[in-house]
Amino acid sequence: QVQLVESGGGLVQPGGSLRLSCAASRDIYSMTDMGWHRQAPGKERELVAVIRSGGSTNYVDSVKGRFIISRNNAKNSVDLQMNSLKSEDTAVYYCRAGFLGYTYWGQGTQVTVSS
C-alpha cells in the first residue's frame, strides 16, 4: 500500500505561483514513476507532469515552460512548481504513483486561479 498526502493547493491570482507537494509513505525511488494529474469542471482528467525513475520528465503542452516537477529527497515527496498561473489552470490536482504494478492516487487538492 502507498499513501499519498498532498499539500500546497489554494487560491492564487493570475500570474502568481504555487508549489504543490506529494509526500509518499514509501520510498519515492521505489516507484515506477510519479506524477500530477488535474481535472477541471466538465473536462477529462489529464496528465500534467510525470517524473520517471531515471529522472526524465514529461509535461502536457499547455504547462511547458511554466511548471516544473521534481523530487525532494529530504521530504520523500514529489513537488510541482507552478508559475505564471492562468485561470485555465484551475482544477483539482491529483498525485499519482505507480508501485509493483498498481496505481495509487492522492485525495486531490484544489487550485483556483482567480482575481
Side-chain angles (χ1 to χ4, degrees):
Q1 292 291 328
V2 178
Q3 286 77 48
L4 303 172
V5 180
E6 299 153 321
S7 62
L11 175 65
V12 65
Q13 294 185 339
S17 298
L18 283 175
R19 188 175 185 89
L20 305 182
S21 182
C22 174
S25 62
R26 294 183 180 271
D27 185 356
I28 61 173
Y29 288 93
S30 70
M31 309 297 175
T32 301
D33 59 17
M34 295 188 70
W36 288 91
H37 297 237
R38 68 185 180 187
Q39 188 165 21
K43 294 187 177 181
E44 297 292 320
R45 188 174 299 186
E46 67 173 347
L47 174 69
V48 177
V50 61
I51 186 165
R52 298 181 172 85
S53 60
S56 63
T57 58
N58 291 96
Y59 301 89
V60 67
D61 286 345
S62 60
V63 310
K64 288 181 178 177
R66 299 189 297 121
F67 291 10
I68 300 173
I69 188 169
S70 63
R71 293 181 288 208
N72 187 323
N73 295 336
K75 296 183 177 182
N76 195 47
S77 69
V78 173
D79 298 345
L80 184 69
Q81 178 66 46
M82 305 185 294
N83 300 316
S84 301
L85 284 161
K86 307 173 181 179
S87 60
E88 302 95 285
D89 296 316
T90 296
V92 177
Y93 284 70
Y94 298 90
C95 180
R96 180 197 57 77
F99 179 67
L100 296 179
Y102 293 86
T103 298
Y104 298 89
W105 293 90
Q107 292 295 312
T109 185
Q110 177 71 48
V111 172
T112 302
V113 185
S114 180
S115 299

